[in-house]
Amino acid sequence: MSTRRVVVTGIGALTPIGKTAPDFWNGLVSGKNGVRHVEHFDTSDFATKFAAQIEDYEPTDYFDRKEARRLDKVAQYGIIASDEAIEDSKLDLDKINKDEVAVLVGTGIGGMETFYNQSVSFHEHGPRGVSPFFIPMLIPDIVSGQISIRHGFRGPNFCAVSACATGSHNIGLAYDAIRHGQSTYAIAGGTEAPVTRIGISGFNSMKAMSTRNDSPETASRPFDKDRDGFVLGEGAGIFVLEELESALERGARIYGEIAGYGFSADAYHITAPDPDGNGVILAMTKAMEAAGIKPEDVDHINMHGTSTPLGDVAESNTIKKVFGEHAEKINCNSTKSMHGHTLGAAGAIESIASLLSIYHGMVPPTINLENQDPECDLNYTANEAAVRDVEYALNNAFGFGGHNSTLVLKKYKD
Amino acid sequence: MSQDVESKVKAIIVDKLGVDESEVTADANFTNDLGADSLDTVELIMEFEKEFDLSIPDEDAENIATVGDATTYLSGKLS
């Protein structure tokens, strides 16, 4: 059978700069800052004392008390964003064939807070101190499972796990599930809840995070010469993907189209980027080939751009290699400057940013770009959103382990 | 003492199962009346062990199906 086209008909976002997709978009274009001091535990002996956090998050605003206790925050976030995306899609869940709904919602880590709490309980009480909910709250695939149980979706159900490329890989796999006729609909994206004692400690030990404690709101500054590491974030981003004919038939709002992806590996180092960018070149090139486009067709790239000294230079150089002279005509950005690095949710949250850029004809800024690093010399849409008619956007996501994923998002046309 | 056991048992059940205190009557069955699944009941037993600092063997736990079963069993163990 010929492959089918896949469009986005629903969006859900729970982020540090907006707790719904419309609020997230408003935050993006107005340059909102989601970074602030961590207050839910004592950070006095932590090297980093801040993170990009969801504002005033109360589980019981979304779940009853028992449900909230049975779900790690990583699952809570994924469920909240998927509920929003499903509602936004206006799919009639009483009418559609639920065998046709895939769920691929990933997390890079899983239930990190649960792992911590149960380890403490084991330490204090021994084996019998470990909750029967420990494993089902911990495992990364539980988010897809919970979403399917909540709504009765019986299509393909699992998740890819690829650290900070997780959200992107899951969207790519969900696109395949629809394209190849496995499903008509897919709930796809990523979620992460890493703002925990053990999470911050781990990334601090790697010297990967900014320690700009005296000015957290300026800490996430991709491509700026004074950047000193990434800022940890949290949240979830979910797409409802749908086969084009199904969307047209029911008169659904179409935000845009998924046009292809490129997956690859650096095969270089567990955490450092390959300075030659060979793996990333491969991902971007494959993605454009899959979408049937040339580099000159690309108007916008939402970069991985984590605000680390090495990563931002390597990715910028790679874009120059792939796009040549056209690179300077592209509105690049890193929205992590606003919502931090949400790890397994990043590829999904930022794909939402890219797709809404296409939908609204406007590219959100990279904020905190005060003194651009001479080694990062692209147009990063510094500090102010740019009006731009975007037909094709790329979204880059790279994960520890050397996993690369580039998605091609496209303006919907008949 | 048994008043104390009863109130502690009730508090655990209200907290873990997210039910209203008024539902936690002596003859309320964890599974049929209070909506507990198999994992919930394991967790309840573990919470009783922690709260009362004792060990409940699996063969005893199997016979604790209602709020009354729990308070009777625990009161007996603690007397």
Side-chain angles (χ1 to χ4, degrees):
Chain A
M1 73 187 275
S2 64
T3 55
R4 315 190 299 172
R5 289 171 70 187
V6 180
V7 293
V8 176
T9 56
I11 297 179
L14 178 66
T15 78
I17 58 168
K19 289 153 88 169
T20 63
D23 284 350
F24 172 55
W25 176 249
N26 290 335
L28 284 173
V29 291
S30 62
K32 191 171 173 183
N33 200 309
V35 184
R36 61 181 194 282
H37 283 287
V38 170
E39 280 164 9
H40 61 285
F41 55 84
D42 178 16
T43 57
S44 51
D45 52 354
F46 282 61
T48 298
K49 305 173 194 300
F50 58 88
Q53 297 161 83
I54 296 164
E55 216 168 358
D56 301 323
Y57 180 72
E58 280 297 334
T60 47
D61 290 348
Y62 302 94
F63 303 98
D64 69 40
R65 222 160 45 84
K66 179 181 171 186
E67 213 176 4
R69 288 188 59 256
R70 298 287 186 265
L71 297 166
D72 188 278
K73 268 190 188 170
V74 75
Q76 294 177 14
Y77 294 168
I79 290 169
I80 292 164
S82 63
D83 279 357
E84 186 196 0
I86 293 162
E87 197 183 324
D88 183 51
S89 75
K90 299 194 165 56
L91 274 175
D92 186 343
L93 297 191
D94 295 328
K95 278 195 183 156
I96 62 167
N97 180 355
K98 292 185 180 179
D99 297 356
E100 286 295 324
V101 189
V103 183
L104 289 101
V105 176
T107 152
I109 298 174
M112 193 184 250
E113 184 74 352
T114 296
F115 209 148
Y116 174 84
N117 288 338
Q118 292 303 313
S119 299
V120 169
S121 187
F122 177 89
H123 186 71
E124 287 172 358
H125 303 285
R128 287 188 74 90
V130 178
S131 165
F133 294 98
F134 168 45
I135 302 295
M137 285 172 71
L138 163 74
I139 51 180
D141 52 287
I142 202 67
V143 189
S144 292
Q146 290 280 11
I147 293 167
S148 76
I149 293 163
R150 193 173 176 86
H151 301 288
F153 300 147
R154 288 177 298 262
N157 193 284
F158 61 101
C159 69
V161 175
S162 53
C164 308
T166 295
S168 183
H169 274 118
N170 282 289
I171 293 167
L173 292 179
Y175 161 76
D176 271 350
I178 295 174
R179 204 159 59 109
H180 297 308
Q182 276 284 323
S183 303
T184 304
Y185 321 91
I187 315 301
T191 175
E192 207 76 80
V195 185
T196 63
R197 294 168 182 83
I198 196 94
I200 292 182
S201 303
F203 287 115
N204 267 155
S205 296
M206 296 172 71
K207 311 285 183 204
M209 283 200 302
S210 170
T211 54
R212 196 182 267 254
N213 291 311
D214 55 348
S215 178
E217 64 282 356
T218 64
S220 190
R221 45 194 315 117
F223 321 115
D224 186 280
K225 70 178 175 52
D226 297 320
R227 67 189 183 281
D228 72 328
F230 79 85
V231 172
L232 192 61
E234 61 175 354
I238 305 286
F239 279 146
V240 172
L241 302 183
E242 187 167 352
E243 192 270 320
L244 176 62
E245 294 305 318
S246 162
L248 290 174
E249 203 168 301
R250 69 183 184 91
R253 168 174 52 191
I254 296 175
Y255 287 101
E257 183 168 355
I258 310 289
Y261 65 77
F263 296 162
S264 74
D266 272 5
Y268 176 78
H269 185 268
I270 51 170
T271 58
D274 177 356
D276 294 332
N278 291 326
V280 174
I281 291 171
L282 189 59
M284 289 200 285
T285 308
K286 272 185 179 179
M288 287 189 284
E289 274 172 24
I293 61 171
K294 294 193 272 305
E296 302 82 71
D297 297 324
V298 174
D299 304 299
H300 162 50
I301 303 176
N302 184 309
M303 294 171 63
H304 191 58
T306 55
S307 189
T308 56
L310 292 177
D312 292 1
V313 174
E315 188 180 8
S316 297
N317 286 338
T318 302
I319 288 173
K320 286 192 282 183
K321 281 186 197 169
V322 171
F323 291 91
E325 282 184 7
H326 181 69
E328 64 194 46
K329 299 191 183 115
I330 299 171
N331 271 98
C332 297
N333 67 1
S334 170
T335 51
K336 286 185 179 79
S337 55
M338 295 176 267
H339 53 66
H341 189 1
T342 60
L343 310 183
I349 287 176
E350 292 160 31
S351 289
I352 292 172
S354 309
L355 195 76
L356 289 176
S357 301
I358 293 172
Y359 189 67
H360 293 291
M362 182 174 279
V363 176
T366 305
I367 66 166
N368 292 323
L369 191 41
E370 290 164 353
N371 298 300
Q372 193 167 324
D373 183 346
E375 287 193 77
C376 299
D377 54 350
L378 296 171
N379 172 7
Y380 301 108
T381 319
N383 303 314
E384 293 276 346
V387 174
R388 171 98 189 228
D389 183 34
V390 180
E391 188 166 351
Y392 286 98
L394 300 192
N395 189 283
N396 280 345
F398 315 138
F400 285 165
H403 321 294
N404 307 308
S405 176
T406 298
L407 297 177
V408 182
L409 307 163
K410 180 187 176 185
K411 183 183 279 189
Y412 171 67
K413 290 177 185 166
D414 298 343
Chain B
M1 184 64 195
S2 69
Q3 273 302 64
D4 193 32
V5 170
E6 195 181 327
S7 64
K8 283 180 177 170
V9 164
K10 274 192 176 180
I12 289 170
I13 293 167
V14 166
D15 179 46
K16 295 294 167 190
L17 300 184
V19 291
D20 198 81
E21 202 182 331
S22 63
E23 298 174 68
V24 188
T25 55
D27 57 355
N29 183 290
F30 297 138
T31 309
N32 300 333
D33 301 317
L34 302 178
D37 65 18
S38 59
L39 296 180
D40 289 320
T41 39
V42 174
E43 191 181 41
L44 277 182
I45 297 296
M46 286 174 44
E47 287 302 315
F48 296 151
E49 289 182 326
K50 268 192 222 169
E51 176 67 35
F52 299 103
D53 193 25
L54 47 77
S55 171
I56 304 174
D58 286 350
E59 53 272 29
D60 291 358
E62 279 165 23
N63 296 318
I64 302 175
T66 66
V67 178
D69 291 345
T71 46
T72 306
Y73 177 85
L74 291 165
S75 300
K77 283 278 178 187
L78 293 164
S79 62

